[in-house]
């Protein structure tokens, strides 16, 4: 990574001397500097109030989401709760955490693009 004078990432590239990758990087990885500094990047939870998105604290956001999930679960049952994760099979911790959370909620509904790609 190259940093500018303000220590912001301005360029990401692969290491050609790396014995395995030989400098290969995915497009998404090379573009992370743009995502990090994007003016559209969300830096806090948002809540729609009177048609406007307002910043709220993480504690308030999590409490409100938990309350809504509890209401849904009580009204429609545990199987009404599901998670949809990204398609990458690499972040195993995400899947372990997701399975544990779903088990605690009483659901087994976990979906991802991988569900569609490997259905056979």
């Amino acid at each position: 990574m190259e940093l500018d004078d303000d220590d912001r990432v301005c360029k990401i590239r692969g290491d050609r001397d790396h014995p395995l990758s030989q400098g290969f990087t995915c497009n998404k990885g090379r573009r992370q500097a743009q995502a990090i500094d994007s003016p559209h990047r969300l830096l806090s939870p948002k809540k729609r109030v009177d048609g406007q998105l307002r910043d709220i604290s993480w504690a308030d956001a999590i409490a409100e989401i938990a309350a809504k999930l509890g209401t849904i679960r009580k009204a429609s049952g545990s199987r009404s709760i599901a998670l949809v994760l990204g398609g990458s099979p690499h972040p195993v911790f995400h899947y372990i955490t997701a399975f544990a959370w779903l088990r605690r909620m009483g659901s087994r509904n976990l979906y991802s693009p991988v569900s569609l790609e490997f259905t056979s």
Side-chain angles (χ1 to χ4, degrees):
M1 288 190 274
E2 290 181 20
L3 304 178
D4 65 13
D5 293 337
D6 296 321
D7 287 333
R8 292 187 323 201
V9 177
C10 58
K11 186 172 186 178
I12 299 173
R13 65 178 183 283
D15 179 359
R16 294 187 189 279
D17 295 328
H18 190 276
L20 295 176
S21 69
Q22 298 176 344
F24 174 81
T25 60
C26 69
N27 191 34
K28 184 176 179 182
R30 286 192 308 274
R31 301 290 182 253
Q32 286 303 298
Q34 294 165 338
I36 290 168
D37 291 327
S38 171
H40 303 293
R41 182 178 176 203
L42 295 178
L43 300 176
S44 67
K46 306 290 184 196
K47 180 179 180 178
R48 191 172 305 278
V49 178
D50 298 326
Q52 299 286 331
L53 290 177
R54 307 274 188 225
D55 289 347
I56 63 171
S57 71
W58 281 103
D60 288 344
I62 291 169
E64 289 187 26
I65 292 166
K68 286 180 183 180
L69 282 173
T71 300
I72 292 167
R73 185 176 173 203
K74 186 175 181 179
S76 303
S78 295
R79 293 193 65 188
S80 64
I81 304 294
L83 282 178
V84 179
L85 299 178
S88 174
H90 305 297
V92 174
F93 179 74
H94 297 350
Y95 283 93
I96 292 170
T97 304
F99 280 123
W101 183 82
L102 280 172
R103 190 176 314 117
R104 179 71 175 100
M105 294 297 292
S107 176
R108 296 187 324 180
N109 299 325
L110 180 64
Y111 304 98
S112 78
V114 175
S115 303
L116 299 174
E117 293 170 10
F118 301 109
T119 55
S120 62

